[in-house]
Amino acid sequence: MRFYGGYPSSLTGIDTKGRNPRNYRSTVRCNVTGEEGNLGYENNSAHTFALVNADSVVIDGFMLQDANTHGVVSATAANDGGGIVVNNSTIDPKYRVNMVYNQVRNCVISNCCSPKGAGIYVNAEWPKANGDTCYSELKIINTVIRNCKAADALATETTNNGGIITANGRSFIHLDHCNIMNNVGIPFKTDNRRTDNTAMGYHGYIRVDNSMIYCNANRKYDMYTDIPANSALSKAEDDGVEPFYISAKPSYDLSTSIDWQPEDDNYDDEDNIKYYFYPDGQASGRPIRFDVAGRHFQFDVDRVTGAPLIMEITD
């Protein structure tokens, strides 16, 4: 089964021309009633997509928002996996299959909350009728996962050491050209725990290629000044170590340690190179080439998600 978003509303019939997920947003929002609190989602959806005993599913071009598994019975695997969950716990063993060739492409997963796998949870702990443990996999391409929280309760500001992206049991997650940012929780977590919290023989595996992981923390901070005095960062400052945060300034100088190779169209009327970075993870600006240690790269912006990209050029 394949799901595609990003079509203009003016289309009729079976016409599929003009698809552009960045300009024509297709949103799957779980918080339908707008209620808040730990159980505010009782009458809504815990997950934006649940791939139950599914294989060869493609989810392409969606804004996936506000999933919250709190209020789901905690003894079931459905309590995990906010944005997208891959699981087959509810399937009769004789019908269980390996959940393979599943893909998420060109999506933005945001504002989701769950104890495990707030953004994505891929689980493979359940046996088939012959006793073999099912295998599950998910490939995530060109996708942004932001503002999600792995916590035991919606109102909690700190993580329970749960993962934003979690692979559990005999499972595999592959991320390629993704942005993982502004989340509360461990960005990538692999585990070997059954739903009853006993250990199993298989351990999840996550591979990450060509991706950016930044501004994730173990609790929510609205301001740098909110960091407690006994934190490692504050202690480092007391010892004379400069803090690692970047202060807000109108502009920044390009690094002199990188051989930047701008073209004429990279400059504006004031002879400046301008790039814009927005709080939702998107950016805008013209592509610009640079060299590092004899290798050639291009800094660009993805035309679908708006995420900043760095690509190696082999010409």
Side-chain angles (χ1 to χ4, degrees):
M1 185 175 293
R2 300 189 175 194
F3 301 89
Y4 292 96
Y7 294 100
S9 59
S10 58
L11 294 180
T12 58
I14 59 174
D15 188 8
T16 59
K17 295 179 181 178
R19 179 175 183 261
N20 188 322
R22 188 178 183 186
N23 292 337
Y24 307 107
R25 295 191 173 186
S26 299
T27 300
V28 179
R29 181 176 291 112
C30 292
N31 186 3
V32 179
T33 65
E35 296 181 28
E36 299 295 338
N38 288 346
L39 303 181
Y41 290 65
E42 280 185 318
N43 297 320
N44 298 302
S45 176
H47 322 284
T48 59
F49 279 94
L51 279 57
V52 180
N53 209 44
D55 66 84
S56 305
V57 174
V58 174
I59 302 170
D60 190 327
F62 289 92
M63 307 289 289
L64 308 178
Q65 301 175 353
D66 301 326
N68 180 6
T69 66
H70 299 293
V72 179
V73 178
S74 59
T76 69
N79 189 55
D80 301 319
I84 295 175
V85 61
V86 181
N87 200 0
N88 60 1
S89 62
T90 59
I91 303 300
D92 189 301
K94 64 184 177 181
Y95 297 119
R96 286 177 181 154
V97 299
N98 291 331
M99 297 168 283
V100 295
Y101 308 119
N102 297 306
Q103 291 190 8
V104 176
R105 306 188 302 223
N106 306 316
C107 290
V108 177
I109 302 173
S110 62
N111 303 324
C112 298
C113 188
S114 181
K116 299 179 183 178
I120 292 175
Y121 185 73
V122 179
N123 186 43
E125 62 174 285
W126 304 99
K128 303 176 186 176
N130 63 3
D132 292 342
T133 301
C134 292
Y135 170 71
S136 61
E137 65 182 20
L138 180 66
K139 186 167 186 179
I140 309 165
I141 305 169
N142 200 36
T143 289
V144 175
I145 301 175
R146 59 178 174 82
N147 300 102
C148 296
K149 181 169 59 177
D152 289 322
L154 179 64
T156 303
E157 298 297 333
T158 57
T159 181
N160 60 354
N161 292 321
I164 300 303
I165 300 170
T166 300
N168 184 61
R170 195 182 177 193
S171 62
F172 172 56
I173 300 175
H174 182 193
L175 295 99
D176 189 7
H177 285 88
C178 294
N179 280 9
I180 316 299
M181 61 192 189
N182 297 338
N183 300 289
V184 177
I186 300 172
F188 308 110
K189 188 168 185 178
T190 60
D191 217 338
N192 67 335
R193 313 303 295 183
R194 294 186 177 89
T195 301
D196 61 7
N197 206 35
T198 59
M200 60 186 302
Y202 294 100
H203 205 289
Y205 175 61
I206 297 176
R207 172 177 171 176
V208 182
D209 295 324
N210 304 312
S211 297
M212 300 178 69
I213 302 97
Y214 58 99
C215 295
N216 301 287
N218 63 1
R219 66 162 296 141
K220 178 183 176 182
Y221 290 113
D222 294 322
M223 297 288 290
Y224 168 72
T225 52
D226 293 336
I227 297 176
N230 62 351
S231 70
L233 177 57
S234 295
K235 289 179 180 179
E237 287 190 76
D238 292 340
D239 294 336
V241 179
E242 290 294 325
F244 54 76
Y245 69 96
I246 300 176
S247 59
K249 297 191 297 184
S251 63
Y252 299 87
D253 294 330
L254 294 177
S255 173
T256 56
S257 64
I258 299 175
D259 182 13
W260 297 95
Q261 299 180 358
E263 303 287 345
D264 290 342
D265 59 0
N266 288 121
Y267 294 92
D268 63 11
D269 295 337
E270 299 177 353
D271 206 30
N272 293 319
I273 296 175
K274 288 189 176 181
Y275 263 87
Y276 298 91
F277 298 89
Y278 305 102
D280 64 356
Q282 297 190 53
S284 63
R286 297 285 301 171
I288 183 172
R289 293 193 176 198
F290 62 93
D291 292 348
V292 177
R295 297 168 64 182
H296 310 293
F297 299 88
Q298 179 169 286
F299 185 75
D300 203 351
V301 175
D302 183 80
R303 298 297 180 261
V304 177
T305 65
L309 299 174
I310 295 178
M311 300 173 292
E312 185 166 9
I313 300 172
T314 57
D315 57 14

Short mmCIF file of all heavy atoms in Angstrom, two decimals, residues 108-151:
data_model
loop_
_atom_site.label_atom_id
_atom_site.label_comp_id
_atom_site.label_asym_id
_atom_site.label_seq_id
_atom_site.Cartn_x
_atom_site.Cartn_y
_atom_site.Cartn_z
N VAL A 108 7.39 15.35 7.50
CA VAL A 108 7.78 16.06 8.72
C VAL A 108 6.96 15.48 9.86
O VAL A 108 5.72 15.56 9.85
CB VAL A 108 7.55 17.57 8.60
CG1 VAL A 108 7.90 18.26 9.92
CG2 VAL A 108 8.37 18.17 7.46
N ILE A 109 7.64 14.87 10.84
CA ILE A 109 6.98 14.29 12.01
C ILE A 109 7.24 15.22 13.19
O ILE A 109 8.39 15.46 13.56
CB ILE A 109 7.53 12.88 12.30
CG1 ILE A 109 7.32 11.97 11.08
CG2 ILE A 109 6.86 12.29 13.53
CD1 ILE A 109 7.98 10.61 11.21
N SER A 110 6.20 15.77 13.78
CA SER A 110 6.40 16.80 14.79
C SER A 110 5.38 16.70 15.92
O SER A 110 4.27 16.19 15.75
CB SER A 110 6.32 18.20 14.16
OG SER A 110 5.05 18.43 13.60
N ASN A 111 5.79 17.20 17.09
CA ASN A 111 4.91 17.37 18.26
C ASN A 111 4.25 16.06 18.69
O ASN A 111 3.07 16.03 19.06
CB ASN A 111 3.83 18.42 17.97
CG ASN A 111 4.42 19.75 17.57
OD1 ASN A 111 5.47 20.15 18.07
ND2 ASN A 111 3.77 20.42 16.63
N CYS A 112 5.02 14.98 18.67
CA CYS A 112 4.50 13.68 19.08
C CYS A 112 5.10 13.29 20.43
O CYS A 112 6.21 13.69 20.78
CB CYS A 112 4.85 12.62 18.04
SG CYS A 112 4.12 12.93 16.41
N CYS A 113 4.36 12.49 21.19
CA CYS A 113 4.79 12.13 22.53
C CYS A 113 4.47 10.66 22.80
O CYS A 113 3.38 10.19 22.49
CB CYS A 113 4.10 13.01 23.57
SG CYS A 113 4.72 12.82 25.25
N SER A 114 5.46 9.95 23.37
CA SER A 114 5.29 8.54 23.70
C SER A 114 6.42 8.11 24.62
O SER A 114 7.52 8.67 24.54
CB SER A 114 5.30 7.69 22.42
OG SER A 114 5.10 6.32 22.73
N PRO A 115 6.21 7.13 25.51
CA PRO A 115 7.32 6.68 26.36
C PRO A 115 8.49 6.11 25.57
O PRO A 115 9.64 6.30 25.95
CB PRO A 115 6.67 5.61 27.24
CG PRO A 115 5.21 5.92 27.22
CD PRO A 115 4.94 6.49 25.86
N LYS A 116 8.21 5.42 24.49
CA LYS A 116 9.25 4.83 23.65
C LYS A 116 8.97 5.17 22.19
O LYS A 116 7.85 5.00 21.72
CB LYS A 116 9.29 3.31 23.79
CG LYS A 116 9.59 2.80 25.19
CD LYS A 116 9.57 1.28 25.21
CE LYS A 116 9.81 0.73 26.60
NZ LYS A 116 9.75 -0.76 26.63
N GLY A 117 10.00 5.64 21.48
CA GLY A 117 9.81 5.94 20.07
C GLY A 117 8.80 7.05 19.86
O GLY A 117 7.80 6.85 19.17
N ALA A 118 9.06 8.21 20.45
CA ALA A 118 8.10 9.31 20.34
C ALA A 118 7.82 9.66 18.88
O ALA A 118 6.68 9.97 18.52
CB ALA A 118 8.62 10.54 21.09
N GLY A 119 8.84 9.64 18.04
CA GLY A 119 8.64 9.91 16.62
C GLY A 119 8.34 8.65 15.84
O GLY A 119 7.37 8.59 15.07
N ILE A 120 9.20 7.63 16.04
CA ILE A 120 9.07 6.37 15.30
C ILE A 120 9.45 5.21 16.22
O ILE A 120 10.46 5.25 16.92
CB ILE A 120 9.96 6.36 14.05
CG1 ILE A 120 9.44 7.38 13.03
CG2 ILE A 120 10.04 4.97 13.43
CD1 ILE A 120 10.31 7.53 11.81
N TYR A 121 8.64 4.15 16.18
CA TYR A 121 8.92 2.94 16.96
C TYR A 121 8.73 1.73 16.05
O TYR A 121 7.63 1.49 15.54
CB TYR A 121 7.98 2.86 18.16
CG TYR A 121 8.28 1.72 19.11
CD1 TYR A 121 9.39 1.74 19.95
CD2 TYR A 121 7.43 0.61 19.18
CE1 TYR A 121 9.66 0.71 20.83
CE2 TYR A 121 7.68 -0.43 20.06
CZ TYR A 121 8.80 -0.38 20.88
OH TYR A 121 9.06 -1.41 21.75
N VAL A 122 9.80 0.99 15.85
CA VAL A 122 9.75 -0.24 15.06
C VAL A 122 10.02 -1.41 16.00
O VAL A 122 11.10 -1.51 16.59
CB VAL A 122 10.78 -0.21 13.91
CG1 VAL A 122 10.73 -1.51 13.11
CG2 VAL A 122 10.50 0.98 12.99
N ASN A 123 9.05 -2.28 16.12
CA ASN A 123 9.10 -3.36 17.10
C ASN A 123 9.05 -4.72 16.39
O ASN A 123 8.28 -4.91 15.45
CB ASN A 123 7.93 -3.24 18.07
CG ASN A 123 8.03 -4.25 19.20
OD1 ASN A 123 9.09 -4.46 19.76
ND2 ASN A 123 6.91 -4.88 19.54
N ALA A 124 9.87 -5.66 16.88
CA ALA A 124 9.86 -7.03 16.34
C ALA A 124 10.18 -7.99 17.48
O ALA A 124 11.33 -8.38 17.68
CB ALA A 124 10.86 -7.18 15.20
N GLU A 125 9.17 -8.34 18.24
CA GLU A 125 9.36 -9.23 19.38
C GLU A 125 8.46 -10.46 19.33
O GLU A 125 8.64 -11.40 20.10
CB GLU A 125 9.09 -8.48 20.69
CG GLU A 125 7.66 -7.98 20.81
CD GLU A 125 7.37 -7.37 22.18
OE1 GLU A 125 7.23 -8.15 23.15
OE2 GLU A 125 7.30 -6.14 22.26
N TRP A 126 7.51 -10.47 18.39
CA TRP A 126 6.47 -11.49 18.44
C TRP A 126 6.78 -12.65 17.51
O TRP A 126 7.22 -12.48 16.38
CB TRP A 126 5.12 -10.86 18.09
CG TRP A 126 4.81 -9.70 18.98
CD1 TRP A 126 4.98 -8.38 18.71
CD2 TRP A 126 4.34 -9.77 20.33
NE1 TRP A 126 4.64 -7.61 19.79
CE2 TRP A 126 4.24 -8.44 20.80
CE3 TRP A 126 4.00 -10.81 21.18
CZ2 TRP A 126 3.80 -8.14 22.09
CZ3 TRP A 126 3.56 -10.51 22.47
CH2 TRP A 126 3.47 -9.19 22.90
N PRO A 127 6.49 -13.90 17.95
CA PRO A 127 6.80 -15.07 17.13
C PRO A 127 5.70 -15.41 16.13
O PRO A 127 4.53 -15.09 16.34
CB PRO A 127 6.93 -16.18 18.17
CG PRO A 127 5.97 -15.77 19.26
CD PRO A 127 6.04 -14.27 19.31
N LYS A 128 6.13 -16.06 15.06
CA LYS A 128 5.17 -16.64 14.12
C LYS A 128 4.69 -17.99 14.67
O LYS A 128 5.12 -18.42 15.74
CB LYS A 128 5.84 -16.84 12.76
CG LYS A 128 6.43 -15.58 12.15
CD LYS A 128 7.16 -15.91 10.86
CE LYS A 128 7.88 -14.70 10.30
NZ LYS A 128 8.68 -15.01 9.09
N ALA A 129 3.83 -18.65 13.91
CA ALA A 129 3.30 -19.94 14.36
C ALA A 129 4.40 -20.98 14.49
O ALA A 129 4.31 -21.89 15.33
CB ALA A 129 2.22 -20.41 13.39
N ASN A 130 5.46 -20.86 13.68
CA ASN A 130 6.56 -21.83 13.73
C ASN A 130 7.58 -21.52 14.81
O ASN A 130 8.60 -22.21 14.95
CB ASN A 130 7.25 -21.94 12.38
CG ASN A 130 7.92 -20.64 11.95
OD1 ASN A 130 7.90 -19.66 12.69
ND2 ASN A 130 8.47 -20.62 10.74
N GLY A 131 7.36 -20.43 15.57
CA GLY A 131 8.25 -20.07 16.65
C GLY A 131 9.31 -19.05 16.30
O GLY A 131 9.97 -18.51 17.20
N ASP A 132 9.51 -18.78 15.00
CA ASP A 132 10.50 -17.79 14.59
C ASP A 132 10.01 -16.38 14.94
O ASP A 132 8.85 -16.05 14.71
CB ASP A 132 10.76 -17.87 13.09
CG ASP A 132 11.47 -19.15 12.68
OD1 ASP A 132 12.06 -19.79 13.57
OD2 ASP A 132 11.42 -19.50 11.49
N THR A 133 10.91 -15.55 15.46
CA THR A 133 10.56 -14.17 15.75
C THR A 133 10.45 -13.37 14.46
O THR A 133 11.30 -13.48 13.57
CB THR A 133 11.63 -13.52 16.65
OG1 THR A 133 11.72 -14.26 17.87
CG2 THR A 133 11.27 -12.08 16.97
N CYS A 134 9.41 -12.56 14.34
CA CYS A 134 9.22 -11.74 13.15
C CYS A 134 10.35 -10.72 13.02
O CYS A 134 10.91 -10.26 14.03
CB CYS A 134 7.88 -11.01 13.20
SG CYS A 134 6.44 -12.08 13.07
N TYR A 135 10.65 -10.36 11.79
CA TYR A 135 11.64 -9.32 11.51
C TYR A 135 10.91 -8.11 10.94
O TYR A 135 9.96 -8.23 10.16
CB TYR A 135 12.65 -9.83 10.49
CG TYR A 135 13.59 -8.78 9.95
CD1 TYR A 135 14.59 -8.23 10.74
CD2 TYR A 135 13.46 -8.31 8.64
CE1 TYR A 135 15.45 -7.26 10.26
CE2 TYR A 135 14.31 -7.35 8.13
CZ TYR A 135 15.30 -6.83 8.95
OH TYR A 135 16.14 -5.86 8.47
N SER A 136 11.33 -6.89 11.35
CA SER A 136 10.69 -5.67 10.84
C SER A 136 11.75 -4.66 10.45
O SER A 136 12.83 -4.60 11.04
CB SER A 136 9.73 -5.07 11.86
OG SER A 136 10.43 -4.70 13.04
N GLU A 137 11.42 -3.83 9.45
CA GLU A 137 12.37 -2.81 9.01
C GLU A 137 11.61 -1.60 8.49
O GLU A 137 10.48 -1.70 8.01
CB GLU A 137 13.31 -3.34 7.93
CG GLU A 137 12.63 -3.72 6.64
CD GLU A 137 13.58 -4.30 5.60
OE1 GLU A 137 14.67 -4.75 5.99
OE2 GLU A 137 13.22 -4.31 4.41
N LEU A 138 12.27 -0.44 8.59
CA LEU A 138 11.70 0.81 8.09
C LEU A 138 12.84 1.68 7.59
O LEU A 138 13.82 1.92 8.32
CB LEU A 138 10.94 1.54 9.21
CG LEU A 138 10.28 2.87 8.82
CD1 LEU A 138 9.16 2.64 7.81
CD2 LEU A 138 9.74 3.58 10.06
N LYS A 139 12.72 2.17 6.37
CA LYS A 139 13.69 3.12 5.83
C LYS A 139 13.05 4.50 5.81
O LYS A 139 11.92 4.67 5.33
CB LYS A 139 14.13 2.73 4.42
CG LYS A 139 15.25 3.62 3.89
CD LYS A 139 15.91 3.06 2.64
CE LYS A 139 17.12 3.92 2.24
NZ LYS A 139 17.81 3.39 1.04
N ILE A 140 13.78 5.49 6.34
CA ILE A 140 13.27 6.86 6.45
C ILE A 140 14.15 7.75 5.60
O ILE A 140 15.36 7.85 5.83
CB ILE A 140 13.29 7.32 7.92
CG1 ILE A 140 12.60 6.27 8.81
CG2 ILE A 140 12.60 8.67 8.08
CD1 ILE A 140 12.88 6.46 10.28
N ILE A 141 13.56 8.41 4.62
CA ILE A 141 14.33 9.17 3.63
C ILE A 141 13.84 10.62 3.60
O ILE A 141 12.64 10.88 3.54
CB ILE A 141 14.17 8.54 2.23
CG1 ILE A 141 14.55 7.05 2.25
CG2 ILE A 141 15.01 9.28 1.19
CD1 ILE A 141 14.19 6.30 0.99
N ASN A 142 14.79 11.55 3.65
CA ASN A 142 14.47 12.96 3.43
C ASN A 142 13.33 13.44 4.33
O ASN A 142 12.36 14.05 3.87
CB ASN A 142 14.12 13.18 1.95
CG ASN A 142 14.27 14.62 1.54
OD1 ASN A 142 15.17 15.33 1.99
ND2 ASN A 142 13.38 15.09 0.68
N THR A 143 13.46 13.16 5.60
CA THR A 143 12.38 13.42 6.55
C THR A 143 12.91 14.20 7.75
O THR A 143 14.04 14.01 8.18
CB THR A 143 11.74 12.09 6.99
OG1 THR A 143 11.00 11.54 5.89
CG2 THR A 143 10.80 12.26 8.17
N VAL A 144 12.06 15.09 8.29
CA VAL A 144 12.39 15.87 9.48
C VAL A 144 11.58 15.33 10.66
O VAL A 144 10.37 15.12 10.55
CB VAL A 144 12.06 17.36 9.27
CG1 VAL A 144 12.29 18.15 10.57
CG2 VAL A 144 12.90 17.94 8.14
N ILE A 145 12.27 15.09 11.79
CA ILE A 145 11.60 14.67 13.02
C ILE A 145 11.96 15.68 14.09
O ILE A 145 13.12 15.78 14.50
CB ILE A 145 12.01 13.25 13.44
CG1 ILE A 145 11.67 12.26 12.30
CG2 ILE A 145 11.31 12.84 14.73
CD1 ILE A 145 12.12 10.86 12.55
N ARG A 146 10.98 16.46 14.56
CA ARG A 146 11.28 17.57 15.46
C ARG A 146 10.20 17.75 16.51
O ARG A 146 9.05 17.31 16.34
CB ARG A 146 11.41 18.87 14.66
CG ARG A 146 10.16 19.26 13.86
CD ARG A 146 10.35 20.58 13.14
NE ARG A 146 9.26 20.92 12.27
CZ ARG A 146 8.12 21.49 12.66
NH1 ARG A 146 7.95 21.77 13.93
NH2 ARG A 146 7.17 21.79 11.79
N ASN A 147 10.60 18.37 17.61
CA ASN A 147 9.67 18.75 18.68
C ASN A 147 8.86 17.58 19.23
O ASN A 147 7.69 17.72 19.59
CB ASN A 147 8.72 19.85 18.20
CG ASN A 147 9.45 21.10 17.77
OD1 ASN A 147 9.62 21.32 16.56
ND2 ASN A 147 9.91 21.89 18.71
N CYS A 148 9.50 16.40 19.28
CA CYS A 148 8.86 15.24 19.88
C CYS A 148 9.43 14.99 21.27
O CYS A 148 10.52 15.45 21.60
CB CYS A 148 9.05 14.01 18.99
SG CYS A 148 8.26 14.13 17.36
N LYS A 149 8.69 14.25 22.10
CA LYS A 149 9.11 14.05 23.48
C LYS A 149 8.88 12.61 23.90
O LYS A 149 7.76 12.10 23.82
CB LYS A 149 8.37 15.00 24.40
CG LYS A 149 8.75 14.88 25.87
CD LYS A 149 8.19 16.03 26.70
CE LYS A 149 6.69 16.11 26.65
NZ LYS A 149 6.13 17.17 27.51
N ALA A 150 9.97 11.95 24.36
CA ALA A 150 9.88 10.60 24.91
C ALA A 150 9.76 10.72 26.43
O ALA A 150 10.76 10.92 27.12
CB ALA A 150 11.10 9.79 24.52
N ALA A 151 8.56 10.64 26.94
CA ALA A 151 8.32 10.84 28.37
C ALA A 151 7.16 9.95 28.81
O ALA A 151 6.37 9.47 27.99
CB ALA A 151 8.01 12.30 28.67
#
